[in-house]
Amino acid sequence: MRDRAARIRTGTLPPAAPAGEADPRVHATLSHLRALEGRARQLSFLPRQPARSVLNGRHASRLRGRGLNFEELRDYLPGDDVRSIDWKVTARTGTPHVRVMTEERDRPALIVVDQRMSMFFGSRLNMKAVTAAEAAALAAFRILDQGDRVGGIVFGDALIAEVRPQRSRRALDRFLTALADANALLSADAPAVPPVSLTEVLRSVSRIAARNHLVIVLSDFDVVDDETHRLVSALSRHNDLVLILVTDPFADDVPEGVRLVVSDGELQAEIDTADHTTYRDLKALAKGRLAEILDWQRSLGVAVLPLTAAEETLPQMRRLMGLAPR
């Protein structure tokens, strides 16, 4: 399994099937992800967001954008912003001095994409894993086009592939290749393995994105705990953190009065939603997890963008970012 993860990371994993046979609603191929480049120009991840964007500061923390580097100290000149006066140097020298800062030329972005088996589900249009992959590709293309470094972490049930942020098409292509390869491994008959936890992945994110990164996490946030909450809080204090919560309408509209068969690939169980208690507990479980993640927007000031696998990805992102009518 480690060898498979390494081959995904380096882009040497053979394709699971000929590209022409893949259904883009079920599996996101490399060619499909690359084809999104032109459409990505309809998005923006710059700090100045439209008034209706969930990233504009009214709903969550404003994107802070690129950092600042100290350039020099010099005498105050008429017209300088008084907020740039260095009062300690001014007091020591007796004449007003200002600190000259220059904006960093680029800001690294880390796009974290969940491709675990819990994402291999869809009841109407796409699998959740496809929606996450498409959103990640759109974000990666646009961020690189804006002049920032881009990289990512792609994780499945038994692998984590890392691509360090770089301002290069080669790094972007490695990220897209890792994403397509991880997505191709998702299958209804895939062997059951203990899944990689989101908490473990966020520890890797904290190691790479210590501060001043744009971090975008795309996941259904299956199985979160107090440690997950702590890591999200820590990341948001030092970075611009955006959580993209990928859902499916089935979670909000569990069918009542039917028998469902669920399986982990080896074992299976039958759930009878005609039983009122079973139906109520199933609804409460689904809604409770969604409510917990959405509440992070209030409690932690983290931007949470809900995406549904039941609709096309780009129009949803444009609406959430205030770039199209709601």
Side-chain angles (χ1 to χ4, degrees):
M1 191 56 69
R2 289 181 179 176
D3 177 67
R4 174 174 283 183
R7 297 182 73 179
I8 285 179
R9 185 167 54 249
T10 56
T12 58
L13 185 73
E21 297 180 5
D23 185 335
R25 299 168 301 177
V26 178
H27 285 109
T29 64
L30 182 58
S31 60
H32 175 68
L33 297 178
R34 284 172 172 165
L36 297 173
E37 180 174 6
R39 303 177 69 192
R41 297 188 181 95
Q42 300 179 43
L43 300 174
S44 172
F45 289 90
L46 294 173
R48 188 180 296 276
Q49 291 284 311
R52 292 180 298 181
S53 171
V54 298
L55 303 179
N56 78 345
R58 294 187 300 115
H59 303 280
S61 297
R62 185 185 301 271
L63 292 182
R64 290 165 288 188
R66 299 177 176 92
L68 297 174
N69 290 323
F70 172 73
E71 188 74 16
E72 64 174 341
L73 277 170
R74 62 167 173 78
D75 292 336
Y76 175 84
L77 298 174
D80 285 338
D81 190 338
V82 295
R83 292 174 296 182
S84 65
I85 293 178
D86 188 315
W87 296 105
K88 290 184 178 180
V89 175
T90 297
R92 188 168 63 249
T93 62
T95 57
H97 280 71
V98 296
R99 295 175 66 88
V100 178
M101 310 294 291
T102 57
E103 187 180 50
E104 291 176 342
R105 288 190 299 173
D106 63 354
R107 173 185 57 168
L110 192 69
I111 304 174
V112 185
V113 195
D114 188 347
Q115 294 289 290
R116 295 176 294 178
M117 277 301 297
S118 66
M119 297 285 287
F120 194 61
F121 179 83
S123 63
R124 297 189 186 175
L125 180 63
N126 289 338
M127 294 294 192
K128 291 190 293 183
V130 169
T131 295
E134 289 180 343
L138 287 165
F141 279 123
R142 190 65 184 116
I143 289 167
L144 184 65
D145 188 54
Q146 290 171 179
D148 290 328
R149 287 173 281 165
V150 67
I153 295 179
V154 180
F155 66 102
D157 285 305
L159 60 92
I160 301 178
E162 298 179 2
V163 178
R164 294 277 179 159
Q166 297 180 44
R167 192 171 179 268
S168 74
R169 293 288 306 210
R170 181 175 296 180
L172 173 60
D173 202 57
R174 284 202 305 270
F175 171 66
L176 295 180
T177 300
L179 183 52
D181 288 344
N183 184 265
L185 295 178
L186 295 174
S187 169
D189 57 1
V193 295
V196 169
S197 72
L198 184 59
T199 298
E200 179 183 347
V201 174
L202 291 179
R203 291 195 188 103
S204 297
V205 174
S206 300
R207 173 172 44 82
I208 297 174
R211 61 180 60 250
N212 298 332
H213 281 62
L214 170 61
V215 179
I216 302 175
V217 182
L218 302 105
S219 175
D220 61 359
F221 294 88
D222 186 44
V223 187
V224 297
D225 53 27
D226 291 341
E227 178 68 5
T228 313
H229 185 278
R230 187 192 67 79
L231 288 167
V232 168
S233 177
L235 281 168
S236 67
R237 287 197 296 271
H238 303 294
N239 301 278
D240 290 333
L241 179 62
V242 178
L243 306 180
I244 298 183
L245 173 60
V246 184
T247 65
D248 185 90
F250 189 90
D252 296 321
D253 189 21
V254 178
E256 188 173 7
V258 299
R259 292 181 179 274
L260 304 174
V261 177
V262 295
S263 172
D264 65 357
E266 292 185 353
L267 303 176
Q268 69 179 34
E270 186 177 271
I271 299 175
D272 185 2
T273 62
D275 181 275
H276 178 69
T277 302
T278 300
Y279 179 73
R280 182 194 61 202
D281 292 346
L282 197 60
K283 291 273 287 187
L285 177 65
K287 288 184 176 295
R289 179 164 49 123
L290 297 181
E292 179 181 4
I293 304 305
L294 291 171
D295 187 61
W296 289 355
Q297 185 162 271
R298 178 196 59 80
S299 62
L300 301 178
V302 175
V304 179
L305 281 65
L307 282 185
T308 174
E311 300 178 24
E312 291 188 14
T313 305
L314 180 59
Q316 290 185 80
M317 296 181 71
R318 284 178 53 78
R319 288 198 305 269
L320 289 168
M321 303 178 78
L323 298 169
R326 293 188 181 276

